[in-house]
Amino acid sequence: MDTITKYFPAISEKQREQFAALDALYRYWNERINVISRKDIGNLYVKHVLHSLAIAAFLGEVKPDTTFLDLGTGGGFPGIPLAILYPDCKFHLIDRIGKKIKVATEVANETGIENVTFQHGDIGECRTRFNYVVSRAVMPLNSLTPLVTKNILPGNPLDNRYGDGIICLKGGDLEPESKGIKFPVIEFPLREFFNEEFFDTKKLVYVPVNG
């Protein structure tokens, strides 16, 4: 938990309580429905919560009512931590696996996160448009981009710092999966935001679909 306040010291007391509650909740649910590697549950705040918040470190302050689609959210990453940090924004979390959506829903309910909705299904079943589509290593970028372009709002209606588009958390060499994408693909090493060793090989990829 101290790792979160280290990088986001301005969070409110309510947000501190919500972030603090995640540890016990994910331990409880992970014993019943495996959404996090057993060896990683002890590193929840660095490897999952802070990793998710790299998207916020990149975006900075965003306008109220900015909307996010978390594709392949699993147990709620990156959507749950981002929803806590951006309480005035709206998040829609989707995953094909119903039991994982159940975990994310229960965690949101228990922590009092009210700015999230959930969908058990495939991206093809989601027709709503959002400012940003976010994901954490769900599929290769050149497979993901054509699937979600329809879900990005046209233009940049809220005038956020970064235009509407796709933001993915990735690792390794991204050149092969960036080929054939008709939009710019911009990489940011996560060491630009966080100094923990875990982030040495991690990257954030931004694809401005409508800048």
Side-chain angles (χ1 to χ4, degrees):
M1 179 59 203
D2 290 343
T3 308
I4 306 305
T5 55
K6 171 184 174 181
Y7 292 105
F8 299 93
I11 60 175
S12 68
E13 184 60 32
K14 178 180 180 180
Q15 289 169 314
R16 289 172 187 265
E17 292 173 357
Q18 289 175 314
F19 280 123
L22 296 181
D23 183 61
L25 285 168
Y26 276 109
R27 286 181 185 273
Y28 172 84
W29 281 106
N30 212 52
E31 291 178 357
R32 291 152 180 81
I33 300 171
N34 189 25
V35 293
I36 294 172
S37 169
R38 303 291 187 189
K39 62 183 176 62
D40 280 348
I41 193 67
N43 297 303
L44 175 75
Y45 284 104
V46 171
K47 293 189 176 183
H48 299 279
V49 179
L50 188 61
H51 190 207
S52 298
L53 293 178
I55 293 172
F58 166 70
L59 287 174
E61 185 176 346
V62 296
K63 301 296 176 64
D65 295 325
T66 297
T67 55
F68 294 81
L69 170 64
D70 178 3
L71 175 63
T73 188
F77 300 103
I80 293 289
L82 289 172
I84 294 175
L85 196 70
Y86 289 137
D88 295 326
C89 299
K90 299 174 183 177
F91 293 81
H92 185 62
L93 281 55
I94 184 171
D95 201 279
R96 292 179 176 178
I97 302 175
K99 63 183 180 180
K100 293 186 176 183
I101 283 291
K102 175 179 173 59
V103 172
T105 302
E106 293 295 335
V107 169
N109 289 340
E110 289 292 328
T111 50
I113 302 171
E114 299 178 346
N115 56 331
V116 292
T117 55
F118 300 92
Q119 181 178 346
H120 171 210
D122 187 89
I123 186 60
E125 300 167 341
C126 181
R127 298 296 177 184
T128 308
R129 290 190 171 193
F130 303 84
N131 297 111
Y132 300 106
V133 174
V134 299
S135 76
R136 210 166 68 120
V138 170
M139 65 179 72
L141 197 62
N142 50 10
S143 298
L144 183 147
T145 300
L147 289 178
V148 302
T149 301
K150 65 176 175 52
N151 297 104
I152 305 293
L153 284 165
N156 185 13
L158 294 179
D159 196 29
N160 285 309
R161 180 194 304 178
Y162 292 99
D164 298 344
I166 302 164
I167 305 172
C168 297
L169 296 170
K170 293 277 192 177
D173 180 12
L174 301 180
E175 184 176 353
E177 62 182 85
S178 299
K179 291 180 179 178
I181 297 176
K182 65 179 181 179
F183 307 104
V185 177
I186 307 167
E187 297 182 20
F188 296 85
L190 293 196
R191 287 289 291 185
E192 292 187 9
F193 309 124
F194 309 133
N195 58 27
E196 281 73 12
E197 183 179 352
F198 171 72
F199 299 105
D200 285 352
T201 60
K202 305 297 182 184
K203 300 175 184 179
L204 179 148
V205 183
Y206 169 53
V207 181
V209 174
N210 292 304

